Amino acid sequence: MIKSIREAVSERRTIVNVVGVLVLLAVVAPFIIVGVPQLAGASQSHVVLSDSMSPTFESGDVILVEDVDPASIEEGDVITYADGSGERTTHRVVEVVERDGERQFRTQGDANDDPDGDLVPASAVEGRHTHTLPYIGHVVLFAGSRLGLALFVIVPGALLAVSEVWDLYRAWKRAEGDDDTTDRDGDGDSTGARAAGNGAPEPTEDD
């Protein structure tokens, strides 16, 4: 009976551990992809900072972008490009324009009423949008703030240091207790030997 109960408890613990690992992977995996977008077949990842492409993706989402040959970009594609200052924008191509022998793109945010003012040259295109990771950008931006740095780096580091000190203290106390036990055991053996000696029968003249 007891054995069957132990086996049932052990089985439940195994199930809980497996579920826990799966949940952990589900939580951690998106952040791994943000850091290494190549795992999802993309070349870059970017945090969305505005709602100009709503409802396709929203501010606080993370988008994945793949390298693409500008010649393959068509109307309807969502592209990421950099302007002269290096600022990145991700908007939808609403028109492909051939001008002065160069392929250019007229873009517009899905939430905007009008197209962007300037055409995007092919040389400014960084990639094409492939996937969206909702809400992950909020965590990424928070982690980069002072408070986020404290919560995700400083506090865990301090807790780890406290844990290490506590483990060392417990090990020291355990070793000290073992020494005391050894001393007490040694004293008991000596006393027992003396008692045995005192209790031994005295030789008699008959012997």
Side-chain angles (χ1 to χ4, degrees):
M1 180 68 177
I2 296 177
K3 183 179 180 181
S4 61
I5 293 176
R6 288 178 178 176
E7 289 177 351
V9 171
S10 177
E11 183 177 353
R12 286 175 184 164
R13 285 179 179 174
T14 301
I15 294 174
V16 170
N17 290 338
V18 170
V19 172
V21 170
L22 292 177
V23 171
L24 180 62
L25 289 175
V27 172
V28 173
F31 296 98
I32 295 177
I33 292 175
V34 170
V36 190
Q38 291 78 9
L39 294 175
S43 57
Q44 303 175 33
S45 64
H46 303 293
V47 177
V48 180
L49 300 177
S50 76
D51 290 322
S52 64
M53 279 296 293
S54 177
T56 303
F57 45 77
E58 313 278 351
S59 175
D61 293 346
V62 168
I63 57 172
L64 302 181
V65 177
E66 65 176 355
D67 290 333
V68 62
D69 182 354
S72 68
I73 295 176
E74 301 176 350
E75 183 177 328
D77 288 343
V78 177
I79 62 172
T80 296
Y81 59 90
D83 61 18
S85 65
E87 182 177 350
R88 292 183 178 87
T89 302
T90 302
H91 279 173
R92 191 177 302 279
V93 175
V94 296
E95 183 183 4
V96 179
V97 180
E98 297 289 346
R99 180 174 296 179
D100 299 328
E102 183 183 12
R103 191 178 181 87
Q104 299 182 340
F105 308 99
R106 191 179 306 281
T107 57
Q108 179 178 342
D110 288 356
N112 296 343
D113 295 329
D114 301 309
D116 301 328
D118 299 323
L119 292 174
V120 178
S123 59
V125 175
E126 295 191 353
R128 179 168 49 201
H129 167 257
T130 58
H131 299 91
T132 301
L133 303 176
Y135 311 117
I136 300 298
H138 292 296
V139 181
V140 174
L141 292 175
F142 177 72
S145 66
R146 290 184 177 179
L147 179 58
L149 179 66
L151 289 179
F152 290 118
V153 178
I154 298 177
V155 171
L159 291 176
L160 180 61
V162 170
S163 175
E164 290 294 330
V165 171
W166 175 247
D167 288 343
L168 289 173
Y169 173 76
R170 291 180 61 188
W172 175 73
K173 292 294 291 183
R174 191 180 300 114
E176 189 178 57
D178 291 344
D179 290 343
D180 291 343
T181 302
T182 301
D183 291 342
R184 287 195 298 270
D185 290 344
D187 292 343
D189 291 343
S190 299
T191 303
R194 287 196 298 271
N198 292 335
E202 294 287 339
T204 65
E205 295 180 356
D206 294 338
D207 293 336

